[in-house]
Amino acid sequence: MNLDPRTFAISDRIKNIKKIYAVTGFKGGVGKSTAACLLALALSAKGVKTGLLDLDFSGSSCHVILGVTPGMKSLFPSEIQGLTPPEVAGIKFMSLAYFTQNRAAHLRGEDVTNSIIELLAVTNWGNLDALILDMPPGISDAALDIMRLMPKAEMIAVVTSSILSQNLAVKALEFCKNSGVKTLGIIHNFTRGGCETGEIFAEFKCLAKLPYDKNFEASIGDIEALKRTDVYAAVQPAFENLL
Amino acid sequence: MNLDPRTFAISDRIKNIKKIYAVTGFKGGVGKSTAACLLALALSAKGVKTGLLDLDFSGSSCHVILGVTPGMKSLFPSEIQGLTPPEVAGIKFMSLAYFTQNRAAHLRGEDVTNSIIELLAVTNWGNLDALILDMPPGISDAALDIMRLMPKAEMIAVVTSSILSQNLAVKALEFCKNSGVKTLGIIHNFTRGGCETGEIFAEFKCLAKLPYDKNFEASIGDIEALKRTDVYAAVQPAFENLL
Amino acid sequence: MHEWALSDSVARAAAAVKKEKGLKTVSAVTVVLGEVQDIAPEVFKENFDELKKSHKGLEKTELKIETERAAFDCNNCGAHFNFDRSKLPHETAEDIHFMPETLRFYITCPKCKSQDFKISAGRGVYIKEIEGEK
Amino acid sequence: MHEWALSDSVARAAAAVKKEKGLKTVSAVTVVLGEVQDIAPEVFKENFDELKKSHKGLEKTELKIETERAAFDCNNCGAHFNFDRSKLPHETAEDIHFMPETLRFYITCPKCKSQDFKISAGRGVYIKEIEGEK
Ligand SMILES: Nc1ncnc2c1ncn2[C@@H]1O[C@H](COP(=O)(O)OP(=O)(O)O)[C@@H](O)[C@H]1O
Ligand SMILES: Nc1ncnc2c1ncn2[C@@H]1O[C@H](COP(=O)(O)OP(=O)(O)O)[C@@H](O)[C@H]1O
Ligand SMILES: [Mg+2]
Ligand SMILES: [Mg+2]
Ligand SMILES: [Mg+2]
Ligand SMILES: [Mg+2]
Ligand code: NI
Ligand code: NI
Ligand SMILES: [Zn+2]
Ligand SMILES: [Zn+2]
């Protein structure tokens, strides 16, 4: 026998989380981390008990967007029945970045799976209304593992107007559907006007349209500044369909 | 004994390729596929014998950018001592997309490794002056496999002005250096003026600065239109350091 | 302690196997603790002995603990190698204790210096045997 | 034929093993062809018998071919299953012949319908044995 005990604990660890949203988009650079962080900030600001888990190990961005320095001497989970994530603006925030000392995470798929299982088995989220997952691009180990280990997670797909983004998202959402995974809806990023997703996403709800905001970059790392951006304001309509 | 014969053929398959460039950037959406395709088009237009290999299996974009429809009934490799890639604008173009019938490629790391080994073992590139690799984001299986299977590949890192892109690229290039992989230089994408990479990349050559071009998207899929874009024009200075 | 969560997962796994196999009680569980994660056996056992009380049929389960030396296979040159955990700086050792995969950010293949290797033994916690009565 | 490249890799692997083990000649190579990739044994052998002539010490190597049934393990529910290659549409069958991993775009776990499974046997080509004289 060679039995991995960790997966037996996962359903218990997430049993007091009401909703889990996987912010994906399949393509890189479409604004997944941006949307995930702003959604989490907005939920938390409304008093919703919110968690944020950065699962893009080789592209961890959430700590940079939120302006925190993960590490034992700065911000670190506490050892209470596993690892309890520290709070950032009221958000319980978990990331592999706590443990990487700011090094590049060169992980093969098997490592990604092992790290996800470890994080899910030891993280003590407590009661949450919503847990936001910031997903890596692609349908790789991370996406497949979340589908099997957190079957109640719903997808929020971030897409842009680019044919490159939309092509991939359509195929990937088809894959999710065939796998029995629910897609809550689409967030359209970098818009310059009306809802440009068009026909191709007709079967999905448009949760929010985020304008391209040339001042956004300067707000990265400063939560108060982020909350004053047009992008943050544009995230709000998404709530109607959350929770 | 359980010996994989395929890796024994790889050095032979690439022995008549003078230079291999892995267009990376570690972050998604920074313009890796754009830079890879435009570089390949520009090289080929100058009469350089060029190959292009799309290694971003779950985000295959090169065929969309080049405007070709991969598939047995449209564009497909020919079975000559392995698989000889068809030519697109003079570029020998290889992609997993020939074999996926436009479905989402949900591959775990082990599958990515197997597919890369298969492609490298059976692709008959013939004589090439330059082979451009379009890499997926992250330092995942694909990047690690290219480092070990094609040790002569040199990195071209595409970065943007965003701290999110630059943070990752700096760490990843450090990793490459420690792994003995040569970095040819940086391509700065989405610039809006001078070279904005700054101090942080001081040790690397700036190969080209690609402006943000709002008309670029409309040129995707049309090679002649791509060649009239500002981005294509801006790629040209990169040659000084190639070949 | 963070160990609590892993001990808890072992108790839950044993309870699940008990149910699946139709056992009445689990007499013993053998776990293997790997050198990479370096879980303290005493702490692990202490937690388990507390946690088992809340699982029916596990109240008297004996936890047997074995340890496993870490072993690595280089993906680049094929070399097999080990490491000396005691030489890691404190903070690094702690990071690896929480997330064993981070080990690969700190050690390299002694033969070819590659940072791309497989942890072939001694990663974390696994269950080697579950004994029980029907 | 695309098979040529795989036969060639077997010849090169055998030549490399011969050198590494200090063999004078390789008397036989046993390869296993998996059901997923579905390489035609005759074509494979024909290519090999031509290719071996250009490797010193392999001129008389006998190629022994075995075949292996495909087997899959579901990553979602743990089910083990097989498939019926003859039921694949022609074009799909060809794609899988070239790139075995694409198989997973077309079949699902019969128990839970998951598209996430491991190919545990019968993927492609591997060498089972290399026999030779010193
Ligand atoms: N609506 C927006 N306006 C301006 N910049 C944005 C917007 N959304 C994202 N960005 C920027 O675009 C880049 C990619 O966003 P990111 O959230 O990191 O994407 P992903 O997580 O999908 O890779 C980042 O530099 C980010 O700051
Ligand atoms: N210089 C540029 N000007 C305008 N659009 C660009 C430019 N470079 C890339 N793009 C667009 O940005 C998006 C991301 O580029 P892409 O090459 O797909 O990135 P990656 O391969 O790194 O994921 C695409 O929609 C592409 O068309
Ligand atoms: Mg991101
Ligand atoms: Mg992230
Ligand atoms: Mg790309
Ligand atoms: Mg691509
Ligand atoms: Ni501990
Ligand atoms: Ni064939
Ligand atoms: Zn090595
Ligand atoms: Zn199944």
Side-chain angles (χ1 to χ4, degrees):
Chain A
M1 175 181 260
N2 183 331
L3 185 69
D4 184 347
R6 298 172 299 164
T7 50
F8 292 89
I10 294 176
S11 63
D12 177 74
R13 301 292 182 264
I14 60 175
K15 73 166 187 280
N16 296 321
I17 303 176
K18 289 200 192 109
K19 287 281 188 177
I20 302 176
Y21 301 111
V23 179
T24 176
F26 310 104
K27 176 137 180 65
V30 292
K32 296 180 293 297
S33 301
T34 301
C37 290
L38 295 185
L39 268 178
L41 284 172
L43 286 167
S44 176
K46 282 208 192 319
V48 174
K49 280 188 219 135
T50 307
L52 174 65
L53 173 56
D54 190 337
L55 289 174
D56 186 1
F57 299 150
S58 70
S60 306
S61 304
C62 293
H63 62 284
V64 184
I65 296 175
L66 297 175
V68 295
T69 308
M72 240 168 257
K73 287 169 188 147
S74 41
L75 189 77
F76 204 75
S78 34
E79 288 197 58
I80 306 166
Q81 299 208 338
L83 294 176
T84 298
E87 292 195 8
V88 178
I91 303 162
K92 287 192 179 165
F93 173 55
M94 195 63 171
S95 171
L96 189 73
Y98 291 122
F99 314 100
T100 59
Q101 301 189 27
N102 204 30
R103 304 208 179 193
H106 58 286
L107 300 177
R108 285 186 175 267
E110 198 194 342
D111 292 327
V112 169
T113 296
N114 248 324
S115 300
I116 289 179
I117 294 176
E118 195 81 30
L119 280 174
L120 297 183
V122 304
T123 304
N124 176 5
W125 294 106
N127 294 315
L128 287 183
D129 297 313
L131 173 62
I132 309 278
L133 311 176
D134 181 20
M135 301 299 292
I139 313 180
S140 55
D141 298 79
L144 295 169
D145 288 326
I146 290 306
M147 290 180 186
R148 94 190 148 96
L149 298 169
M150 289 182 152
K152 71 178 178 188
E154 299 172 29
M155 301 283 147
I156 295 179
V158 182
V159 296
T160 73
S161 305
S162 170
I163 183 176
L164 298 177
S165 156
Q166 301 204 355
N167 257 358
L168 283 181
V170 164
K171 288 191 280 183
L173 291 174
E174 177 76 22
F175 172 80
C176 291
K177 194 172 154 187
N178 293 338
S179 304
V181 174
K182 186 176 164 191
T183 297
L184 185 74
I186 305 285
I187 291 182
H188 194 128
N189 195 13
F190 300 122
T191 56
R192 290 157 209 276
C195 193
E196 304 149 47
T197 39
E199 286 299 292
I200 184 172
F201 293 111
E203 63 172 303
F204 301 104
K205 248 181 231 146
C206 181
L207 302 174
K209 295 166 214 165
L210 313 183
Y212 174 78
D213 176 350
K214 67 180 184 350
N215 300 315
F216 182 77
E217 194 65 34
S219 309
I220 287 178
D222 178 344
I223 289 173
E224 289 317 309
L226 285 172
K227 287 186 175 176
R228 287 189 302 264
T229 60
D230 297 346
V231 196
Y232 182 74
V235 145
Q236 312 293 327
F239 293 136
E240 281 174 39
N241 298 292
L242 268 69
L243 308 176
Chain B
M1 174 182 260
N2 183 332
L3 185 68
D4 185 348
R6 299 172 300 163
T7 50
F8 292 89
I10 294 176
S11 63
D12 177 73
R13 301 291 182 266
I14 61 175
K15 72 166 188 280
N16 296 320
I17 303 175
K18 290 199 191 112
K19 287 281 189 175
I20 302 176
Y21 301 111
V23 179
T24 177
F26 311 105
K27 177 138 178 64
V30 292
K32 295 180 293 297
S33 300
T34 301
C37 290
L38 295 185
L39 268 179
L41 283 173
L43 287 167
S44 176
K46 282 207 191 321
V48 174
K49 280 188 220 134
T50 307
L52 175 64
L53 173 56
D54 190 336
L55 289 174
D56 187 1
F57 298 150
S58 70
S60 307
S61 304
C62 293
H63 61 285
V64 184
I65 296 175
L66 297 176
V68 295
T69 308
M72 241 170 253
K73 287 167 189 153
S74 42
L75 190 75
F76 204 75
S78 33
E79 289 198 57
I80 305 167
Q81 299 208 338
L83 293 176
T84 299
E87 293 196 6
V88 178
I91 302 162
K92 286 191 180 166
F93 172 54
M94 196 62 170
S95 170
L96 190 73
Y98 291 123
F99 314 100
T100 59
Q101 300 189 28
N102 205 29
R103 304 207 179 194
H106 57 286
L107 300 177
R108 285 185 176 268
E110 198 193 342
D111 292 326
V112 169
T113 296
N114 248 324
S115 300
I116 290 179
I117 294 175
E118 195 80 29
L119 280 174
L120 297 183
V122 303
T123 304
N124 177 6
W125 294 105
N127 293 314
L128 287 182
D129 296 314
L131 173 62
I132 310 279
L133 310 176
D134 181 18
M135 301 299 292
I139 313 181
S140 55
D141 297 78
L144 295 169
D145 287 325
I146 290 306
M147 290 180 185
R148 92 191 149 97
L149 299 169
M150 288 182 153
K152 72 178 178 188
E154 300 173 29
M155 301 283 147
I156 295 179
V158 182
V159 297
T160 74
S161 306
S162 171
I163 184 176
L164 298 177
S165 155
Q166 301 203 354
N167 257 359
L168 283 180
V170 163
K171 288 191 280 183
L173 290 173
E174 178 76 22
F175 171 80
C176 290
K177 194 171 153 187
N178 293 338
S179 304
V181 174
K182 187 177 162 189
T183 297
L184 185 74
I186 306 284
I187 290 182
H188 193 128
N189 195 12
F190 300 122
T191 58
R192 292 157 206 273
C195 193
E196 304 149 48
T197 40
E199 287 299 291
I200 185 173
F201 293 112
E203 63 173 301
F204 301 104
K205 248 182 230 146
C206 182
L207 302 174
K209 297 166 213 164
L210 312 183
Y212 174 77
D213 176 350
K214 69 179 179 356
N215 300 315
F216 183 77
E217 195 64 33
S219 309
I220 286 178
D222 178 342
I223 289 175
E224 289 317 310
L226 285 172
K227 287 186 175 176
R228 287 189 301 265
T229 60
D230 296 347
V231 195
Y232 183 75
V235 146
Q236 311 295 323
F239 293 137
E240 280 174 39
N241 297 293
L242 267 69
L243 307 176
Chain C
M1 295 304 290
H2 136 264
E3 278 75 359
W4 179 93
L6 295 169
S7 288
D8 176 67
S9 75
V10 170
R12 290 178 189 277
V17 169
K18 171 186 155 272
K19 195 174 157 191
E20 190 200 308
K21 298 217 167 140
L23 304 175
K24 253 179 67 186
T25 56
V26 175
S27 53
V29 174
T30 309
V31 299
V32 180
L33 303 179
E35 183 186 9
V36 174
Q37 189 160 29
D38 195 36
I39 298 280
E42 321 78 62
V43 181
F44 200 81
K45 193 170 163 48
E46 208 173 279
N47 285 324
F48 182 85
D49 287 340
E50 196 55 39
L51 285 157
K52 68 184 183 188
K53 294 177 194 158
S54 57
H55 294 277
K56 203 166 163 288
L58 262 71
E59 298 88 347
K60 293 182 175 159
T61 304
E62 181 197 357
L63 184 70
K64 299 178 188 171
I65 296 184
E66 296 179 10
T67 55
E68 188 173 272
R69 176 107 206 253
F72 312 104
D73 298 332
C74 179
N75 288 326
N76 185 51
C77 77
H80 304 290
F81 59 101
N82 303 98
F83 85 130
D84 186 349
R85 203 182 201 284
S86 67
K87 286 201 179 135
L88 292 172
H90 171 72
E91 209 166 302
T92 304
E94 280 287 287
D95 286 339
I96 298 170
H97 171 64
F98 293 120
M99 287 291 140
E101 278 61 44
T102 60
L103 166 87
R104 61 182 68 259
F105 310 156
Y106 308 109
I107 73 171
T108 56
C109 168
K111 199 171 142 199
C112 78
K113 303 283 166 237
S114 172
Q115 303 171 72
D116 175 22
F117 54 84
K118 197 178 154 68
I119 305 178
S120 58
R123 179 201 170 278
V125 181
Y126 72 88
I127 298 178
K128 194 177 156 187
E129 201 179 352
I130 295 180
E131 296 158 83
E133 285 93 42
K134 291 248 174 188
Chain D
M1 296 306 290
H2 137 262
E3 278 75 358
W4 179 92
L6 295 169
S7 288
D8 177 67
S9 74
V10 170
R12 290 179 189 275
V17 170
K18 172 187 155 268
K19 195 175 158 190
E20 191 200 310
K21 297 218 168 137
L23 304 176
K24 251 177 70 188
T25 56
V26 175
S27 53
V29 174
T30 309
V31 298
V32 180
L33 302 180
E35 184 185 9
V36 175
Q37 189 160 30
D38 194 37
I39 298 279
E42 322 77 61
V43 181
F44 200 82
K45 193 170 163 52
E46 209 172 278
N47 285 326
F48 182 85
D49 287 340
E50 196 55 40
L51 285 157
K52 70 185 183 186
K53 294 177 192 160
S54 57
H55 293 278
K56 205 165 160 289
L58 263 71
E59 298 87 347
K60 294 183 176 158
T61 303
E62 181 196 359
L63 184 70
K64 300 178 189 171
I65 296 183
E66 296 179 10
T67 54
E68 189 172 272
R69 176 106 206 255
F72 312 105
D73 298 333
C74 179
N75 287 326
N76 186 51
C77 77
H80 304 291
F81 59 102
N82 303 98
F83 85 131
D84 186 349
R85 204 181 202 283
S86 67
K87 287 201 179 134
L88 293 171
H90 171 72
E91 209 165 302
T92 305
E94 280 286 287
D95 285 341
I96 298 170
H97 170 64
F98 293 121
M99 287 291 141
E101 278 61 43
T102 61
L103 166 85
R104 63 182 67 257
F105 310 157
Y106 309 109
I107 73 172
T108 56
C109 168
K111 199 172 142 199
C112 78
K113 303 285 166 234
S114 171
Q115 303 169 75
D116 175 23
F117 54 85
K118 196 177 153 72
I119 306 178
S120 58
R123 179 201 170 276
V125 181
Y126 71 88
I127 298 179
K128 195 176 156 187
E129 202 180 353
I130 294 179
E131 297 159 81
E133 286 93 44
K134 291 248 175 188

